[in-house]
Amino acid sequence: MCLHFETVTAKNRGAVERLALLPEQAGFIESPTECLREADASDFWRPVGIYDGTELVGFAMYGYLPFLGEGQLWFDRLLIDKAFQGRGYAKAAIAALLERLRQEYPCRRVYLSVYGDNAAAIHLYQQAGFSFNGDYDTKGERVMVLDFPETGPAET
């Protein structure tokens, strides 16, 4: 597996919009088309295609929302195409995206939201270190947070 991320542009947008979920996952996440419309309407969101080499396997969207509290960094969307599920892509993409967010933003905390009945996603996010904070977002999803570890000078 050789994961990397590419910004969604006119060149890859059609392929990203064709990504699909399994029928039982419908309703847990907006379609890529809906996500991209949201990103088009706001400079806060960063939509990216998830690639294994040259193969598009998924989509993610993240962004910093300065108007929430003191400002919040959100890992807002993650979708692995139904043809690529069960191969470890979601777990690897979360780890790689979290590292990207840690380096790209000065924030120490990352937020996401998930429907309470989406057990598979909850388990995946908990494995990555996220935990529920007791809050709900505007759509009734439960909010999870992850605090990045302190990164100080290495001890000798």
Side-chain angles (χ1 to χ4, degrees):
M1 186 178 310
C2 182
L3 285 189
H4 69 279
F5 307 101
E6 294 183 17
T7 300
V8 177
T9 64
K11 182 179 176 183
N12 63 357
R13 186 178 181 123
V16 168
E17 289 181 334
R18 288 188 293 276
L19 294 169
L21 296 170
L22 295 168
E24 60 269 21
Q25 296 168 323
F28 287 139
I29 185 173
E30 294 84 350
S31 72
T33 300
E34 292 169 307
C35 295
L36 292 173
R37 272 193 226 126
E38 189 176 342
D40 290 342
S42 169
D43 290 335
F44 301 120
W45 298 119
R46 303 288 177 256
V48 294
I50 303 168
Y51 290 82
D52 184 0
T54 60
E55 186 82 39
L56 176 66
V57 300
F59 166 79
M61 192 164 83
Y62 60 89
Y64 179 74
L65 308 178
F67 51 85
L68 292 178
E70 302 280 322
Q72 294 179 357
L73 178 58
W74 279 77
F75 183 137
D76 201 60
R77 311 282 163 73
L78 176 68
L79 181 153
I80 302 298
D81 186 79
K82 63 183 181 180
F84 297 97
Q85 291 184 18
R87 301 183 193 181
Y89 284 116
K91 189 174 186 176
I94 290 170
L97 278 165
L98 287 174
E99 181 58 25
R100 180 179 181 139
L101 294 176
R102 192 181 68 73
Q103 292 184 19
E104 194 171 320
Y105 295 92
C107 303
R108 298 224 349 96
R109 176 172 283 174
V110 181
Y111 296 82
L112 63 79
S113 61
V114 62
Y115 286 105
D117 58 346
N118 191 348
I122 291 169
H123 179 72
L124 191 63
Y125 294 133
Q126 286 174 329
Q127 284 184 319
F130 284 89
S131 60
F132 290 107
N133 69 354
D135 292 339
Y136 291 83
D137 73 3
T138 58
K139 296 178 185 176
E141 294 180 52
R142 296 178 69 190
V143 175
M144 300 181 84
V145 298
L146 176 129
D147 290 319
F148 289 126
E150 291 285 338
T151 54
E155 294 186 17
T156 55

